Amino acid sequence: MTPTLPTLLVLDADPPPRLGRLTGRARIEHTDAAGLAGRLPAADVLLVWDFTSHAVRRAWPGTGPRPRWVHTASAGVDHLMCPELAVSDTVVTNARGIFDQPIAEYVAALVLAVAKDLPRTLELQRERTWRHRETRRVAGTRACVIGSGPIGRAIARTLKALDVTTALVGRVPRTGIHGPGDLDRLISRADWVISAAPLTEQTYGMFDTRRFGVMQPSAVFVNVGRGGLVDEDALADALRRRWIAGAALDVFAAEPLGEESPLWGLPGLIVSPHMSGDTVGWRDELGSQFVELYERWAAGRPLRNVVDKKRGYVPGH
């Protein structure tokens, strides 16, 4: 008798994942957000390939069986977590490890671009204007990186290579990592305040009017974590009042950022479309990572990148 293959349900995005290595090892089915709720009860595994969708959070509380394992092709899990999933026996894994160095490089590029006034240089070139200026030196400046996971640690390593004195802040203080109690003191001295934390109940809106007021006037704020970490109105006000020197946002509370958003025209703000971790071939890396995890799951071996569903991230790193 032929054994029944596990059903792998993929919440699709374009382009779809390459899962050819799983041919004959899984019954692969695809769905969009509208069809997810009706397909969940028959799935053994759910691959959230459309990691910008909130469909899982909406569909999960329904009736019937639920997949034993959910994998999201993203570092964050806030888009899919709901109370019913958090208390279930379903294992949740994420794409930890794929985006660490690309995001670190992107942050370093932003720091250098701001310090060397590259946006203005490009504007002047388009205007055919020759205007000599002085720029800031990066070596010897201070950075505070909020988020001590693999992405935050990669950012810290990369900035240290530029001779930036870097402090790392995590949820729990330990060797080489400061705790939340040190955050205000560290950002008050930092030239670069870099947000790379997961979005949880504790971190939602953590960068607010008070926090921007704590920063020094020469500070630049960078967010490559989650849009919900930042009170965008408070940031806009801080930039208009010149409380801080500038900011760069790669993530936003609502994406894509609407053309009517005032953020586009704020002085000193660089806007990028959630692309800091997306390098050439990144989707293939995500697909390969999932296939390797599936092979472990099918063989009964422990999964890597298991998320603590109550904390909202992979612990112990």
Side-chain angles (χ1 to χ4, degrees), residues 198-222:
L199 182 61
T200 67
E201 290 182 2
Q202 291 71 36
T203 61
Y204 184 86
M206 67 183 296
F207 294 101
D208 55 11
T209 297
R210 189 187 69 78
R211 284 261 158 74
F212 290 120
V214 167
M215 298 177 196
Q216 56 185 348
S218 60
V220 173
F221 175 73
V222 178

Side-chain angles (χ1 to χ4, degrees), residues 28 55-56 86 90 102 134 168 172 174 194 208 220 236 254 258 272 275 314:
I28 302 174
V56 176
T90 297
E134 296 177 346
L168 197 56
V172 178
R174 52 197 185 277
I194 299 158
D208 55 11
V220 173
S272 59
M275 58 181 283
V314 180

Side-chain angles (χ1 to χ4, degrees), residues 92-259:
V92 176
T93 57
N94 71 355
R96 185 177 75 88
I98 300 295
F99 303 107
D100 307 354
Q101 193 56 37
I103 292 178
E105 292 173 6
Y106 198 88
V107 169
L110 288 172
V111 167
L112 289 167
V114 171
K116 302 309 177 185
D117 199 22
L118 293 185
R120 184 60 177 149
T121 295
L122 296 174
E123 289 177 9
L124 292 171
Q125 179 180 347
R126 284 191 291 269
E127 297 169 5
R128 298 175 179 251
T129 300
W130 181 280
R131 183 175 301 162
H132 182 270
R133 287 118 53 227
E134 296 177 346
T135 62
R136 297 172 65 180
R137 180 178 293 192
V138 171
T141 58
R142 296 174 179 266
C144 178
V145 179
I146 299 90
S148 60
I151 293 174
R153 295 200 304 273
I155 292 170
R157 287 194 304 270
T158 303
L159 292 180
K160 287 177 182 177
L162 296 173
D163 201 19
V164 176
T165 300
T166 306
L168 197 56
V169 178
R171 189 183 69 89
V172 178
R174 52 197 185 277
T175 304
I177 298 175
H178 298 269
D182 294 328
L183 179 58
D184 287 352
R185 175 178 61 84
L186 291 170
I187 65 175
S188 71
R189 302 162 54 193
D191 300 287
W192 317 99
V193 178
I194 299 158
S195 165
L199 182 61
T200 67
E201 290 182 2
Q202 291 71 36
T203 61
Y204 184 86
M206 67 183 296
F207 294 101
D208 55 11
T209 297
R210 189 187 69 78
R211 284 261 158 74
F212 290 120
V214 167
M215 298 177 196
Q216 56 185 348
S218 60
V220 173
F221 175 73
V222 178
N223 187 20
V224 290
R226 283 291 181 267
L229 298 169
V230 179
D231 180 334
E232 292 175 352
D233 290 337
L235 173 61
D237 191 52
L239 288 169
R240 293 191 188 101
R241 293 172 179 264
R242 307 289 183 182
W243 287 359
I244 60 177
L249 301 180
D250 186 55
V251 288
F252 300 87
E255 297 182 2
L257 188 65
E259 62 180 27

